[in-house]
């Protein structure tokens, strides 16, 4: 948030609706899935022999893939994580934001109506990562522990984990006037329509809750109230001269 810029507020209709936000999230998840898939395909083309890649899909083929890619598994993870980090943090500082925001006509702003700072985006990304971990952890445990589960069943279980993540993240959008998700609420960001314009200045209301003994704070915006002038002294009335005054 820019230190010299005052907080502003937008019309409630200019804050992105819950369905639009969920649709944007789905687009971004597809983009991230393509990034992961593209990274793995590039490493497979480079490190897996052609005769293995030419085999028909089967468990034996998958085992050979895993065998050849095992020495570079760390590189695959680091490269994927790096690309994803660039997409969800620095890329969001652009006025248009990510691909999901651009397709759905939205942009991410802080309390001043400007693109959030790098620190704010990092905080927001950490909250998203925590929510995604909570949503996908049960699905990952099921697919890891269940024996004999097929690829289709694994995909269904992981899809259920993604749905749980989106439910936890975007459920507050349905009830809040300014439609903040969990990650927005605790990082001080808002999603508005692409061409939205502020309707005036805002007052920032700080709310603190305790997570155990750790206080965490979030901001809410309300239309700015005019200054109270009632406490100022009224101007002293001039005495009126009477007829007896010499």
């Amino acid at each position: 948030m820019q230190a010299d810029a005052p907080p502003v507020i937008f019309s409630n209709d200019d804050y992105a609706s819950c369905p639009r936000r969920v649709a944007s999230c789905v687009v971004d998840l597809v983009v991230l899935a393509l990034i992961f898939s593209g990274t793995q395909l590039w490493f497979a083309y480079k490190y897996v022999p052609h005769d293995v890649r030419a085999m028909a899909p089967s468990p034996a083929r998958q085992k050979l893939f895993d065998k050849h890619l095992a020495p570079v598994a760390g590189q695959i993870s680091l490269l994927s994580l790096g690309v994803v980090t660039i997409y969800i943090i620095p890329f969001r500082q652009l006025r248009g934001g990510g691909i999901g925001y651009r397709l759905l006509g939205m942009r991410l702003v802080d309390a001043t109506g400007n693109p959030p700072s790098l620190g704010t985006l990092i905080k927001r990304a950490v909250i998203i990562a925590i929510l995604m971990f909570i949503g996908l952890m049960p699905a990952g445990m099921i697919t890891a522990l269940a024996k004999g589960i097929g690829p289709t069943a694994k995909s269904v279980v992981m899809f259920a984990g993604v749905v749980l993540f989106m439910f936890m993240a975007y459920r507050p959008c349905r009830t809040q006037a300014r439609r903040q998700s969990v990650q927005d609420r605790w990082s001080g960001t808002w999603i508005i329509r692409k061409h939205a314009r502020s309707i005036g200045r805002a007052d920032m209301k700080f709310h603190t809750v305790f997570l155990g003994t750790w206080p965490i704070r979030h901001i809410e915006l309300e239309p700015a109230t005019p200054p109270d002038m009632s406490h100022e002294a009224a101007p002293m009335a001039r005495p009126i001269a009477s007829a007896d005054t010499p």
Side-chain angles (χ1 to χ4, degrees), residues 181-195:
S181 63
V182 173
Q183 60 267 29
D184 291 323
R185 186 178 181 85
W186 296 106
S187 62
T189 57
W190 290 261
I191 303 290
I192 59 175
R193 294 178 183 271
K194 181 179 179 180
H195 300 293

Side-chain angles (χ1 to χ4, degrees), residues 21-150:
R21 299 206 50 184
V22 171
S24 172
C25 179
V26 171
V27 171
D28 285 336
L29 288 174
V30 171
V31 171
L32 296 179
L34 291 174
I35 291 174
F36 281 116
S37 300
T39 303
Q40 291 184 342
L41 286 174
W42 185 83
F43 275 92
Y45 182 81
K46 185 174 181 180
Y47 291 99
V48 178
H50 175 73
D51 56 339
V52 176
R53 288 187 276 115
M55 293 173 60
S58 66
R61 178 178 180 266
Q62 186 61 48
K63 287 183 179 180
L64 290 174
F65 261 76
D66 295 340
K67 177 182 177 181
H68 287 93
L69 292 177
V72 293
Q75 298 178 35
I76 296 174
S77 299
L78 287 176
L79 181 59
S80 300
L81 181 61
V83 175
V84 170
T85 301
I86 292 173
Y87 181 79
I88 66 175
I89 297 180
F91 203 59
R92 295 287 171 89
Q93 281 193 299
L94 301 177
R95 189 170 180 82
I99 296 176
Y101 291 171
R102 294 173 185 271
L103 291 179
L104 275 298
M106 307 183 301
R107 56 190 174 99
L108 180 67
V109 298
D110 62 11
T112 66
N114 296 301
S117 66
L118 185 60
T120 298
L121 289 173
I122 292 175
K123 181 179 179 181
R124 190 174 187 271
V126 170
I127 297 171
I128 292 175
I130 293 173
L131 292 174
M132 187 166 289
F133 176 78
I134 295 173
L136 295 179
M137 181 177 63
M141 293 178 62
I142 291 173
T143 56
L145 297 177
K147 296 182 179 180
I149 185 172

